Amino acid sequence: MRFLVLLAPLLLAVAAHAAPHQDRTNDLDQALNANNKGLISQFDQVRQSVTDRTSELVVSAVGFLGVPYRRGGNSVETGFDCSGFVRAMYNQTVGMVLPRRAEEQARATEPVARADMKPGDLVFFNTMRRAFSHVGIYIGEGKFIHSPRSGAEVRVEDMTGSYWQRRFNGARRVEAVQGPVSAGE
């Protein structure tokens, strides 16, 4: 009997000592879950920001349908050539200054597999017997917007058409982590 009397307080002490540890574990689990939710929330916000910017870029680009082509042009007032159009859209909507020429834009961006293209990606074509001689902005569903050539206007084209399909050089993505490219390029 004496053994049970001594054992009971010992068991109570062990249980009392274990309870705070259990609470600490629960507190830690709750803190980690809250932190994960915070990280997930931050990730979702960044993803939404990128989606918003991409949507804004595409909507903005579509707003320039009908602006005439002009070699060396880089504004609505003067007209656009292909790379001037892309550069103006990224500068106005995303705040990034891309290089001036199509082949320079290709070098300053990251390759994307055709299957992984997203609206806002750049699509490049060989239209002058050299790689990356023409650029447009992918808008989704196999279509892109660009300023094609003298006598034409900013318009949407289907990439699956035989002309564009034969000349496709690849897609590239403008990575936000690159930061702006200096205006002198």
Side-chain angles (χ1 to χ4, degrees), residues 135-158:
V135 62
I137 299 171
Y138 185 69
I139 60 173
E141 299 182 11
K143 300 194 179 342
F144 72 106
I145 187 168
H146 67 131
S147 186
R149 66 179 183 283
S150 294
E153 301 171 336
V154 172
R155 65 183 181 211
V156 173
E157 301 268 4
D158 188 336

Side-chain angles (χ1 to χ4, degrees), residues 98-116:
L98 296 178
R100 179 61 183 93
R101 299 178 59 210
E103 59 270 8
E104 293 168 341
Q105 290 174 356
R107 282 194 303 268
T109 52
E110 296 297 317
V112 176
R114 190 173 194 146
D116 297 330

